[in-house]
Amino acid sequence: MSGRAGIVIVGASLAGLRGAEALRRGGYEGPLTLVGDEPYRPYDRPPLSKHVLAGELAADATALPQLLPLRARWRLGSPATGLDRNAKIVRLADGSSLAYDTLLVATGARARRWPGEAEFAGIFTIRGRDEAADLRAALARDPRSVLIVGGGLIGCEAASCCRDLGLPVTLVDPNPTPLARALGTLVGGTLAARMRAAGVDLRPGTQVRALEGEAGQVCRARLADGGSIAADLVIVALGAVRDTGWLSEGGLAADAGGLTCDGACRALTRMGVPDPNIFAAGDVARWPNPLYGGRLIAVEHWGNAVEQAAHAARNMLNPADPQPYAHLPAFWSSQFGLNIKMVGLADGADSVAIVQGSRAAGRFLAVYGREGRTIAAVSFDEARWLPAYAERIAAGAAFPPIHDATDQPAIETRPPGFPPPRPFPASRGRVPEAAHA
Amino acid sequence: MRVVVDLNRCQGYAQCCYAAPAHFELRGHEILFYDPAPPEAARGRIERAQQACPVRAISVEGIDLAEEDAP
Ligand SMILES: Cc1cc2nc3c(=O)[nH]c(=O)nc-3n(C[C@H](O)[C@H](O)[C@H](O)COP(=O)(O)OP(=O)(O)OC[C@H]3O[C@@H](n4cnc5c(N)ncnc54)[C@H](O)[C@@H]3O)c2cc1C
Ligand code: SF4
């Protein structure tokens, strides 16, 4: 770690910033450079699809606090465009090159766009603060009707903001309920009821085939079943693609699903060998998680970016003693007045049990099991129970959970109702992922 | 000044809301809404909120760091 080029971090957002801090905290004294595509210092994204859209916070108000002196060089507004692993050089869009001794890849992801989106005005995605500012401005111009394509976390949060603003909003998703892939349809059904009560025109089991416009402005969505929905503002919330394009020539195992790492956050080459000088953290990284039997997992949530960046930094500073990164995925979301918090990955669960509260009351804790083990838990406004279940999930405790008190009724388990996996090209296999998008 | 709350960690205990009611607010049963960019003049109250949080979920940029490394 004593080379003169020092450490270069590509991606100046949550994982990049927290990684840089962890390097300094860990005693790294050498040169440190952060390269960022966006012209802004690191900022927080979760408020963008919540308070920024609702007009409560300005899009530029969420800069992240820096927690210790970094003594870093910032190269903002000039994305990395290429990687030469032999020469140990990162190429930037402005034509310059940066030498590195050790590289941290923290380029995250960008919103998946609607094909041909640029054809019409009025089609938006939410990932960065510029996108959020544009969408906020459009919502403030009182659109006649908003259409949200995609019932994942960001689509649902955006729907909630639109209702808070009093805007008519329709949400379409091919699955039977919103958040069906993250939570299953049993729990997702509770959210569906909540959304409808808030006035969202929810259209599950519906697919948009095309967006159509008039005079350059989007005006309707054509559905797969032949129907149509009128909308002069469309929010495309179809998840994210990892920002790995700049790595394509580098010989690393990278694609739109992420950069594959070994268990110690070191990037793998296409031959499956770790490059000892390249690490990855945050949304861009997928790695074999020991908590899930070493399955390759990519996690697109805030908590992982923070934790994985610190872990990668630790391994960067201790190359002789690489430690595996074990992480229990977790996220929060707020929408329709509800605080939703989850730990673990529920996909693949074969049953679910409501262990606190009730779905009817709208406040509950649901625990997911697979083959007799507890694998995940989600809370709707019952967050205080979650930490106890996080411990049980990490320990692989028995499912269904057993009440301590003998006078409690036995816990009833139900099928969680996960939609069948999306068809993936067989050669790539199915990579489980936890996505905030 | 810059503030971020780790909302995975936050348990909605609301101690921060008592310490700095203008900048931390509990909504519904347990949603914490906070100001990520409070004015420097509020630093005393914000730091009291940070100290009051039983799960140490609140991060605040130190005054010495403001703009220190700004690009
Ligand atoms: C709208 C929204 C709401 C969210 N809400 C929540 C929530 O409520 N709870 C939760 O747990 N998680 C939430 N998340 C997820 C969370 O914000 C992400 O997991 C987190 O931002 C990941 O951090 P990261 O640093 O890995 O990646 P990113 O934040 O995506 O940052 C990557 C950075 O790298 C830059 N970059 C990309 N390519 C290059 C290049 N070639 N050269 C240089 N720089 C490059 C990008 O411009 C970007 O600034 C939300 C995300 C979004 C978008
Ligand atoms: S004091 Fe801490 S745990 Fe309580 S609401 Fe504030 S941030 Fe959350």
Side-chain angles (χ1 to χ4, degrees):
Chain A
M1 215 52 52
S2 53
R4 304 188 56 219
I7 295 178
V8 171
I9 299 178
V10 181
S13 180
L14 183 61
L17 175 64
R18 294 297 181 245
E21 289 166 354
L23 288 165
R24 290 301 190 208
R25 197 177 292 118
Y28 174 67
E29 294 289 342
L32 179 61
T33 308
L34 282 108
V35 180
D37 180 5
E38 297 175 271
Y40 311 118
R41 59 173 288 139
Y43 61 86
D44 208 29
R45 294 178 202 275
L48 299 181
S49 51
K50 307 175 183 77
H51 314 292
V52 171
L53 291 193
E56 297 179 303
L57 285 179
D60 62 1
T62 75
L64 283 162
Q66 186 181 305
L67 303 178
L68 74 175
L70 291 181
R71 287 166 281 124
R73 281 180 66 211
W74 296 80
R75 299 289 298 268
L76 299 179
S78 186
T81 52
L83 169 69
D84 182 339
R85 288 194 302 123
N86 293 325
K88 295 175 78 173
I89 278 174
V90 174
R91 278 187 292 276
L92 305 191
D94 64 9
S96 63
S97 302
L98 272 177
Y100 66 85
D101 296 312
T102 313
L103 178 67
L104 178 62
V105 176
T107 43
R110 60 183 66 215
R112 181 172 285 122
R113 299 186 168 271
W114 189 261
E117 167 191 301
E119 252 182 274
F120 305 115
I123 306 177
F124 297 86
T125 51
I126 319 167
R127 179 79 201 181
R129 73 180 230 198
D130 291 343
E131 288 164 290
D134 289 349
L135 174 54
R136 166 62 203 162
L139 291 174
R141 286 193 294 267
D142 270 330
R144 274 193 309 277
S145 59
V146 178
L147 171 66
I148 298 176
V149 187
L153 286 161
I154 288 175
C156 292
E157 289 173 358
S160 174
C161 292
C162 290
R163 289 309 301 144
D164 287 346
L165 295 168
L167 298 171
V169 55
T170 306
L171 188 145
V172 301
D173 189 278
N175 294 305
T177 73
L179 300 188
R181 290 196 180 276
L183 306 181
T185 54
L186 183 86
V187 174
T190 328
L191 182 63
R194 186 99 175 192
M195 289 173 98
R196 288 197 163 114
V200 177
D201 178 1
L202 182 63
R203 310 275 188 96
T206 306
Q207 230 160 343
V208 172
R209 209 187 55 214
L211 297 176
E212 299 173 351
E214 270 162 23
Q217 164 71 39
V218 73
C219 68
R220 87 177 74 74
R222 183 68 59 194
L223 304 178
D225 66 10
S228 71
I229 297 173
D232 54 347
L233 194 160
V234 177
I235 303 174
V236 176
L238 292 173
V241 286
R242 306 321 198 279
D243 248 323
T244 54
W246 66 284
L247 295 170
S248 61
E249 303 297 309
L252 295 174
D255 55 46
L259 169 59
T260 307
C261 300
D262 71 0
C265 309
R266 292 177 299 202
L268 295 183
T269 66
R270 287 204 194 100
M271 312 301 288
V273 183
D275 183 320
N277 304 310
I278 304 182
F279 293 73
D283 282 13
V284 75
R286 81 187 148 207
W287 85 103
N289 190 339
L291 290 183
Y292 289 87
R295 271 196 307 168
L296 275 182
I297 299 216
V299 179
E300 285 183 89
H301 301 305
W302 197 93
N304 178 61
V306 173
E307 214 180 285
Q308 194 169 26
H311 195 94
R314 186 239 162 250
N315 282 350
M316 291 167 85
L317 299 178
N318 297 277
D321 176 33
Q323 293 291 316
Y325 177 56
H327 174 74
L328 187 61
F331 70 77
W332 77 87
S333 170
S334 52
Q335 45 181 287
F336 303 101
L338 267 178
N339 189 34
I340 301 177
K341 289 178 90 168
M342 182 157 204
V343 291
L345 292 180
D347 84 323
D350 51 33
S351 61
V352 62
I354 307 295
V355 297
Q356 301 288 344
S358 72
R359 288 190 301 137
R363 296 187 71 173
F364 59 88
L365 186 88
V367 177
Y368 298 81
R370 181 189 167 93
E371 292 165 4
R373 300 271 149 222
T374 304
I375 60 166
V378 68
S379 148
F380 278 38
D381 274 350
E382 287 282 12
R384 68 204 159 116
W385 300 103
L386 210 52
Y389 283 93
E391 282 170 29
R392 295 189 198 189
I393 295 161
F399 180 93
I402 302 149
H403 273 313
D404 295 333
T406 45
D407 57 351
Q408 295 273 342
I411 289 170
E412 190 195 342
T413 63
R414 310 264 300 269
F418 282 96
R422 293 188 194 95
F424 263 77
S427 59
R428 261 211 287 148
R430 183 166 132 72
V431 180
E433 50 181 62
H436 201 83
Chain B
M1 58 186 295
R2 301 182 175 105
V3 174
V4 74
V5 180
D6 179 342
L7 292 173
N8 286 319
R9 197 176 268 263
C10 168
Q11 293 296 319
Y13 291 126
Q15 272 88 336
C16 55
C17 309
Y18 301 116
H23 307 286
F24 296 87
E25 180 187 319
L26 213 58
R27 293 183 176 173
H29 290 292
E30 52 175 52
I31 298 172
L32 179 68
F33 173 57
Y34 65 95
D35 180 0
E40 194 55 52
R43 181 171 289 275
R45 268 164 287 146
I46 300 289
E47 286 179 351
R48 273 198 297 285
Q50 182 184 26
Q51 295 305 321
C53 175
V55 292
R56 305 193 68 74
I58 304 172
S59 297
V60 178
E61 189 164 85
I63 189 157
D64 48 320
L65 280 179
E67 307 302 328
E68 185 254 358
D69 275 302

